[in-house]
Amino acid sequence: MTQSHSQQGSALMLSLFIIIVLLLLGSALVKVLSTSSETIAQEVIGTRALMAANSGMQAHLQLTFPLNGANACPADDTYDLSGVDGLDHCRAMVNCNLYNTHEMVNYYRLTSTGECGSSAIADQSIGVVRSSRTIQVEARSL
């Protein structure tokens, strides 16, 4: 039982083809998993930025409407939220604008921008994943 010359090496070529196909499928799967984990990290940092914006807004609203009843638009402020659990490497920049007064009622527009990073945020940070979210609230005095 001898094989003909035309069939010699065909098993080697078939196994080489299968190995190449499996290698391509494996590398595609690794790429999909890598992209998926980056997307999840970006979503988490974005959610943290939204919570930072909410925290800054709450702090500024408390200054705008204190319990003693004296309403006033406080100066623009930046809140460093690094000491708050879950908001490491986050900050919130908040500004207030008294945009209308009608019949002794003041109308305020507050804007809060939360910014978070995957590590400490510096002015020229390179390689840090950053996310920013902005919220706006309009409020009036009583």
Side-chain angles (χ1 to χ4, degrees):
M1 285 194 209
T2 62
Q3 294 181 343
S4 69
H5 275 336
S6 64
Q7 291 184 357
Q8 288 181 348
S10 63
L12 179 63
M13 293 302 288
L14 181 62
S15 62
L16 187 60
F17 176 74
I18 290 173
I19 288 172
I20 290 173
V21 167
L22 290 177
L23 185 63
L24 290 174
L25 286 174
S27 64
L29 182 62
V30 167
K31 175 87 170 143
V32 166
L33 291 175
S34 173
T35 303
S36 175
S37 65
E38 288 174 12
T39 302
I40 290 171
Q42 204 44 274
E43 284 182 33
V44 168
I45 293 172
T47 301
R48 290 175 56 218
L50 179 62
M51 293 302 108
N54 281 333
S55 297
M57 181 64 74
Q58 291 296 323
H60 226 62
L61 281 170
Q62 190 272 330
L63 294 174
T64 306
F65 302 104
L67 293 177
N68 66 9
N71 302 5
C73 224
D76 298 351
D77 203 357
T78 298
Y79 299 94
D80 182 13
L81 301 170
S82 292
V84 179
D85 288 340
L87 294 178
D88 281 339
H89 310 301
C90 292
R91 63 183 171 203
M93 290 77 64
V94 187
N95 64 17
C96 179
N97 179 22
L98 173 64
Y99 69 92
N100 193 7
T101 300
H102 180 68
E103 295 180 3
M104 303 289 289
V105 176
N106 294 330
Y107 293 87
Y108 302 98
R109 182 174 295 126
L110 291 93
T111 304
S112 177
T113 301
E115 185 178 69
C116 290
S118 57
S119 63
I121 300 172
D123 289 336
Q124 299 298 323
S125 296
I126 297 174
V128 176
V129 178
R130 295 168 115 176
S131 188
S132 175
R133 299 290 186 270
T134 301
I135 60 172
Q136 188 175 53
V137 170
E138 292 189 4
R140 67 182 185 104
S141 62
L142 298 176

